[in-house]
mmCIF file of all heavy atoms in Angstrom:
data_model
loop_
_atom_site.group_PDB
_atom_site.id
_atom_site.type_symbol
_atom_site.label_atom_id
_atom_site.label_comp_id
_atom_site.label_asym_id
_atom_site.label_seq_id
_atom_site.Cartn_x
_atom_site.Cartn_y
_atom_site.Cartn_z
ATOM 1 N N MET A 261 229.353 -82.920 -14.017
ATOM 2 C CA MET A 261 228.951 -83.253 -12.636
ATOM 3 C C MET A 261 227.449 -83.509 -12.637
ATOM 4 O O MET A 261 226.668 -82.610 -12.381
ATOM 5 C CB MET A 261 229.276 -82.076 -11.711
ATOM 6 C CG MET A 261 230.687 -81.537 -11.848
ATOM 7 S SD MET A 261 230.999 -80.128 -10.759
ATOM 8 C CE MET A 261 230.102 -78.821 -11.572
ATOM 9 N N ASP A 262 227.046 -84.747 -12.908
ATOM 10 C CA ASP A 262 225.612 -85.033 -13.036
ATOM 11 C C ASP A 262 225.112 -85.830 -11.832
ATOM 12 O O ASP A 262 225.866 -86.624 -11.253
ATOM 13 C CB ASP A 262 225.376 -85.821 -14.344
ATOM 14 C CG ASP A 262 223.916 -85.803 -14.760
ATOM 15 O OD1 ASP A 262 223.139 -84.967 -14.244
ATOM 16 O OD2 ASP A 262 223.542 -86.636 -15.599
ATOM 17 N N GLY A 263 223.849 -85.619 -11.507
ATOM 18 C CA GLY A 263 223.201 -86.445 -10.474
ATOM 19 C C GLY A 263 222.830 -85.703 -9.199
ATOM 20 O O GLY A 263 222.330 -86.323 -8.256
ATOM 21 N N ASN A 264 223.031 -84.402 -9.167
ATOM 22 C CA ASN A 264 222.698 -83.643 -7.951
ATOM 23 C C ASN A 264 221.208 -83.725 -7.627
ATOM 24 O O ASN A 264 220.821 -83.906 -6.468
ATOM 25 C CB ASN A 264 223.032 -82.154 -8.130
ATOM 26 C CG ASN A 264 224.515 -81.899 -8.221
ATOM 27 O OD1 ASN A 264 225.313 -82.778 -7.956
ATOM 28 N ND2 ASN A 264 224.886 -80.687 -8.605
ATOM 29 N N GLY A 265 220.380 -83.566 -8.671
ATOM 30 C CA GLY A 265 218.923 -83.563 -8.471
ATOM 31 C C GLY A 265 218.457 -84.899 -7.911
ATOM 32 O O GLY A 265 217.705 -84.957 -6.929
ATOM 33 N N ARG A 266 218.925 -85.997 -8.534
ATOM 34 C CA ARG A 266 218.519 -87.332 -8.073
ATOM 35 C C ARG A 266 219.025 -87.605 -6.662
ATOM 36 O O ARG A 266 218.335 -88.212 -5.844
ATOM 37 C CB ARG A 266 219.046 -88.407 -9.036
ATOM 38 C CG ARG A 266 218.155 -88.577 -10.263
ATOM 39 C CD ARG A 266 218.849 -89.367 -11.334
ATOM 40 N NE ARG A 266 219.875 -88.574 -11.995
ATOM 41 C CZ ARG A 266 220.868 -89.077 -12.722
ATOM 42 N NH1 ARG A 266 221.004 -90.385 -12.833
ATOM 43 N NH2 ARG A 266 221.722 -88.290 -13.313
ATOM 44 N N ARG A 275 215.707 -80.192 -5.066
ATOM 45 C CA ARG A 275 216.857 -80.373 -5.948
ATOM 46 C C ARG A 275 218.032 -79.469 -5.588
ATOM 47 O O ARG A 275 219.195 -79.852 -5.694
ATOM 48 C CB ARG A 275 216.448 -80.117 -7.409
ATOM 49 C CG ARG A 275 215.476 -81.152 -7.950
ATOM 50 C CD ARG A 275 215.044 -80.794 -9.365
ATOM 51 N NE ARG A 275 216.202 -80.648 -10.231
ATOM 52 C CZ ARG A 275 216.822 -81.661 -10.837
ATOM 53 N NH1 ARG A 275 216.380 -82.891 -10.666
ATOM 54 N NH2 ARG A 275 217.856 -81.436 -11.603
ATOM 55 N N HIS A 279 222.467 -79.618 -5.315
ATOM 56 C CA HIS A 279 223.511 -78.731 -5.855
ATOM 57 C C HIS A 279 224.433 -78.258 -4.722
ATOM 58 O O HIS A 279 225.648 -78.185 -4.892
ATOM 59 C CB HIS A 279 222.881 -77.533 -6.577
ATOM 60 C CG HIS A 279 222.034 -77.933 -7.750
ATOM 61 N ND1 HIS A 279 222.442 -78.868 -8.667
ATOM 62 C CD2 HIS A 279 220.794 -77.541 -8.164
ATOM 63 C CE1 HIS A 279 221.500 -79.041 -9.593
ATOM 64 N NE2 HIS A 279 220.487 -78.251 -9.299
ATOM 65 N N GLY A 282 226.692 -80.874 -3.904
ATOM 66 C CA GLY A 282 227.669 -81.007 -4.990
ATOM 67 C C GLY A 282 228.888 -80.124 -4.786
ATOM 68 O O GLY A 282 229.979 -80.430 -5.270
ATOM 69 N N VAL A 283 228.726 -79.030 -4.055
ATOM 70 C CA VAL A 283 229.864 -78.127 -3.819
ATOM 71 C C VAL A 283 230.949 -78.828 -2.990
ATOM 72 O O VAL A 283 232.148 -78.639 -3.227
ATOM 73 C CB VAL A 283 229.406 -76.814 -3.135
ATOM 74 C CG1 VAL A 283 230.600 -75.947 -2.766
ATOM 75 C CG2 VAL A 283 228.439 -76.058 -4.037
ATOM 76 N N VAL A 286 232.952 -80.776 -5.255
ATOM 77 C CA VAL A 286 233.851 -79.905 -6.028
ATOM 78 C C VAL A 286 235.109 -79.623 -5.201
ATOM 79 O O VAL A 286 236.238 -79.722 -5.698
ATOM 80 C CB VAL A 286 233.149 -78.572 -6.416
ATOM 81 C CG1 VAL A 286 234.159 -77.563 -6.955
ATOM 82 C CG2 VAL A 286 232.040 -78.825 -7.435
ATOM 83 N N ALA A 305 229.433 -76.567 -14.881
ATOM 84 C CA ALA A 305 228.560 -76.193 -13.759
ATOM 85 C C ALA A 305 227.158 -75.794 -14.208
ATOM 86 O O ALA A 305 226.211 -75.890 -13.423
ATOM 87 C CB ALA A 305 229.199 -75.043 -12.976
ATOM 88 N N ASN A 310 220.605 -75.561 -19.533
ATOM 89 C CA ASN A 310 220.088 -75.513 -18.158
ATOM 90 C C ASN A 310 219.210 -74.284 -17.888
ATOM 91 O O ASN A 310 218.465 -74.246 -16.915
ATOM 92 C CB ASN A 310 221.224 -75.569 -17.121
ATOM 93 C CG ASN A 310 221.858 -76.935 -16.990
ATOM 94 O OD1 ASN A 310 223.025 -77.062 -16.626
ATOM 95 N ND2 ASN A 310 221.102 -77.988 -17.267
ATOM 96 N N ARG A 313 215.527 -74.926 -17.164
ATOM 97 C CA ARG A 313 215.038 -75.504 -15.895
ATOM 98 C C ARG A 313 214.090 -74.530 -15.200
ATOM 99 O O ARG A 313 214.089 -73.335 -15.508
ATOM 100 C CB ARG A 313 216.233 -75.819 -14.988
ATOM 101 C CG ARG A 313 217.043 -76.951 -15.554
ATOM 102 C CD ARG A 313 217.978 -77.539 -14.540
ATOM 103 N NE ARG A 313 218.601 -78.706 -15.135
ATOM 104 C CZ ARG A 313 219.282 -79.626 -14.472
ATOM 105 N NH1 ARG A 313 219.444 -79.513 -13.162
ATOM 106 N NH2 ARG A 313 219.792 -80.659 -15.085
ATOM 107 N N LEU A 321 220.754 -71.828 -8.272
ATOM 108 C CA LEU A 321 222.102 -72.191 -8.751
ATOM 109 C C LEU A 321 222.975 -70.941 -8.887
ATOM 110 O O LEU A 321 224.139 -70.936 -8.488
ATOM 111 C CB LEU A 321 222.010 -72.909 -10.092
ATOM 112 C CG LEU A 321 221.955 -74.432 -10.038
ATOM 113 C CD1 LEU A 321 221.577 -75.013 -11.390
ATOM 114 C CD2 LEU A 321 223.295 -75.009 -9.571
ATOM 115 N N PHE A 325 226.486 -70.151 -6.995
ATOM 116 C CA PHE A 325 227.776 -69.789 -7.606
ATOM 117 C C PHE A 325 228.343 -68.559 -6.899
ATOM 118 O O PHE A 325 229.538 -68.499 -6.593
ATOM 119 C CB PHE A 325 227.632 -69.499 -9.113
ATOM 120 C CG PHE A 325 227.173 -70.691 -9.928
ATOM 121 C CD1 PHE A 325 226.400 -70.515 -11.072
ATOM 122 C CD2 PHE A 325 227.517 -71.978 -9.564
ATOM 123 C CE1 PHE A 325 225.971 -71.607 -11.828
ATOM 124 C CE2 PHE A 325 227.090 -73.080 -10.311
ATOM 125 C CZ PHE A 325 226.309 -72.892 -11.436
ATOM 126 N N VAL A 328 229.565 -69.530 -3.399
ATOM 127 C CA VAL A 328 230.793 -70.342 -3.448
ATOM 128 C C VAL A 328 231.988 -69.425 -3.690
ATOM 129 O O VAL A 328 233.039 -69.550 -3.030
ATOM 130 C CB VAL A 328 230.693 -71.434 -4.544
ATOM 131 C CG1 VAL A 328 232.044 -72.075 -4.810
ATOM 132 C CG2 VAL A 328 229.678 -72.496 -4.151
ATOM 133 N N TRP A 457 226.888 -87.101 -8.453
ATOM 134 C CA TRP A 457 227.984 -86.158 -8.202
ATOM 135 C C TRP A 457 228.254 -85.876 -6.708
ATOM 136 O O TRP A 457 229.411 -85.906 -6.283
ATOM 137 C CB TRP A 457 227.792 -84.849 -8.992
ATOM 138 C CG TRP A 457 228.868 -83.876 -8.654
ATOM 139 C CD1 TRP A 457 228.767 -82.719 -7.944
ATOM 140 C CD2 TRP A 457 230.281 -84.018 -8.960
ATOM 141 N NE1 TRP A 457 229.996 -82.124 -7.798
ATOM 142 C CE2 TRP A 457 230.931 -82.909 -8.411
ATOM 143 C CE3 TRP A 457 231.028 -84.997 -9.642
ATOM 144 C CZ2 TRP A 457 232.320 -82.738 -8.518
ATOM 145 C CZ3 TRP A 457 232.408 -84.834 -9.737
ATOM 146 C CH2 TRP A 457 233.033 -83.707 -9.184
HETATM 147 C C1 FPP B 522 223.738 -81.527 -12.824
HETATM 148 O O1 FPP B 522 222.980 -82.366 -11.971
HETATM 149 C C2 FPP B 522 224.379 -80.465 -12.049
HETATM 150 C C3 FPP B 522 224.194 -79.120 -12.252
HETATM 151 C C4 FPP B 522 223.319 -78.596 -13.330
HETATM 152 C C5 FPP B 522 224.816 -78.109 -11.368
HETATM 153 C C6 FPP B 522 226.217 -78.434 -10.922
HETATM 154 C C7 FPP B 522 226.692 -77.380 -9.990
HETATM 155 C C8 FPP B 522 227.347 -77.615 -8.832
HETATM 156 C C9 FPP B 522 227.771 -78.959 -8.380
HETATM 157 C C10 FPP B 522 227.761 -76.452 -8.011
HETATM 158 C C11 FPP B 522 229.241 -76.239 -8.238
HETATM 159 C C12 FPP B 522 229.642 -74.858 -8.102
HETATM 160 C C13 FPP B 522 230.764 -74.339 -8.660
HETATM 161 C C14 FPP B 522 231.053 -72.882 -8.493
HETATM 162 C C15 FPP B 522 231.719 -75.112 -9.463
HETATM 163 P P1 FPP B 522 221.427 -82.526 -12.256
HETATM 164 O O2 FPP B 522 220.707 -81.457 -11.512
HETATM 165 O O3 FPP B 522 221.168 -82.541 -13.730
HETATM 166 O O4 FPP B 522 221.127 -83.925 -11.626
HETATM 167 P P2 FPP B 522 219.990 -84.964 -12.086
HETATM 168 O O5 FPP B 522 220.458 -85.535 -13.394
HETATM 169 O O6 FPP B 522 220.013 -85.964 -10.987
HETATM 170 O O7 FPP B 522 218.704 -84.218 -12.187
#
Side-chain angles (χ1 to χ4, degrees):
M261 310 179 286
D262 197 16
N264 292 349
R266 278 166 286 162
R275 293 176 56 84
H279 299 315
V283 174
V286 168
N310 287 153
R313 292 196 174 194
L321 267 168
F325 297 149
V328 168
W457 176 250

